[in-house]
Amino acid sequence: VLTIPREALLGSGGSQHVFLLRDGTLVKQAVRGGISNPTRVELTQGLKEGDEVAVPAEAPLREGMRVRSDEG
């Protein structure tokens, strides 16, 4: 089961998405959320193990935005 931080899941209902980090650039990816708790949400479609998901901070996320990972 893949889970992500709740704040990384954007949209609502049938149009949920996340932003993935690919080569330093954000890519919008449609997903389907499953069960959740106050901090995490299960994703049933749209991600695979190892995908790096962006969590919104001060600036709103946009597809094509250049970002840097805090990991590694």
Side-chain angles (χ1 to χ4, degrees):
V1 173
L2 296 176
T3 66
I4 61 170
R6 188 179 199 99
E7 62 269 25
L9 182 63
L10 305 170
S12 62
S15 63
Q16 296 175 316
H17 65 275
V18 297
F19 284 100
L20 300 178
L21 181 59
R22 298 261 165 84
D23 299 321
T25 302
L26 294 181
V27 177
K28 188 175 180 178
Q29 174 67 43
V31 295
R32 181 171 297 166
I35 60 174
S36 63
N37 67 29
T39 61
R40 311 259 329 152
V41 61
E42 171 191 38
L43 292 183
T44 60
Q45 289 182 351
L47 288 186
K48 63 183 182 307
E49 190 171 343
D51 282 342
E52 196 169 2
V53 176
V55 176
E58 291 123 26
L61 301 177
R62 299 182 320 275
E63 188 160 29
M65 179 183 273
R66 301 282 300 161
V67 295
R68 184 177 59 231
S69 174
D70 281 346
E71 296 290 317

